[in-house]
């Protein structure tokens, strides 16, 4: 199932809907708003259909930090913090296989989180994921 932040799913798996859905907390209280993702063991989840091949979907971690779930190749998922390791600015959504930081120009590989262009010297924080029930869950 889960790997070190990368999961290869079955081809053709898809979620029931493209939009993330709110869930209920263990106490039974609703959590999240319509724009908030569903919650999975300490993290968010997003429908497989909402993560385009070569692109990504923004989700909020249970800590409130933004992250991107990406699908670099069909059925292969990864997730990374949306916060640049240089100065803590939010990176832009993945485009053409890269995350760009608008603050100082750092560029990161959207499939691995590795730095392609500084001033950042550390990769984006990788978040473990797994696919279950047509959703990609942050671990």
């Amino acid at each position: 199932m889960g790997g070190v932040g990368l999961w290869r799913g079955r081809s053709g798996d898809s979620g029931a809907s493209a939009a993330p859905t709110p869930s209920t907390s263990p106490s039974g209280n609703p959590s999240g708003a319509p724009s908030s993702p569903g919650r999975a063991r300490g993290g968010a989840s997003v429908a497989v259909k909402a993560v385009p091949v070569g692109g990504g979907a923004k989700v909020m971690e249970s800590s409130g930090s933004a992250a991107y779930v990406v699908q670099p190749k069909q059925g292969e998922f990864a997730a990374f913090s949306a916060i640049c390791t240089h100065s803590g600015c939010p990176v832009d959504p993945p485009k053409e296989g890269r995350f760009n930081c608008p603050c100082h120009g750092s560029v990161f590989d959207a499939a691995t989180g590795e730095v392609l262009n500084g001033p950042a010297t550390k990769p984006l924080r990788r978040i473990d994921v797994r696919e279950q029930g047509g959703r990609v869950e942050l671990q």
Side-chain angles (χ1 to χ4, degrees):
M1 274 197 219
V4 181
L6 190 64
W7 191 87
R8 292 180 190 263
R10 295 176 306 270
S11 179
D13 272 348
S14 63
S17 71
T21 57
S23 67
T24 303
S25 70
S27 66
N29 295 327
S31 63
S35 61
S36 297
R39 300 292 176 195
R41 290 178 18 193
S45 71
V46 64
V48 168
K49 289 169 66 172
V51 185
V53 175
K58 189 172 186 178
V59 296
M60 297 302 288
E61 295 184 79
S62 59
S63 66
S65 296
Y68 286 104
V69 175
V70 296
Q71 186 175 192
K73 296 178 184 174
Q74 180 69 42
E76 188 175 292
F77 300 94
F80 302 96
S81 168
I83 305 302
C84 180
T85 56
H86 172 244
S87 292
C89 295
V91 297
D92 292 332
K95 185 175 180 182
E96 298 176 1
R98 298 173 180 210
F99 291 107
N100 294 299
C101 180
C103 293
H104 301 108
S106 291
V107 179
F108 302 87
D109 185 290
T112 65
E114 294 297 319
V115 176
L116 298 175
N117 188 50
T121 59
K122 295 180 182 177
L124 294 175
R125 179 175 54 86
R126 181 181 289 270
I127 302 165
D128 287 338
V129 297
R130 72 174 178 167
E131 184 194 4
Q132 181 172 328
R135 298 187 73 79
V136 179
E137 301 176 345
L138 274 60
Q139 300 295 291

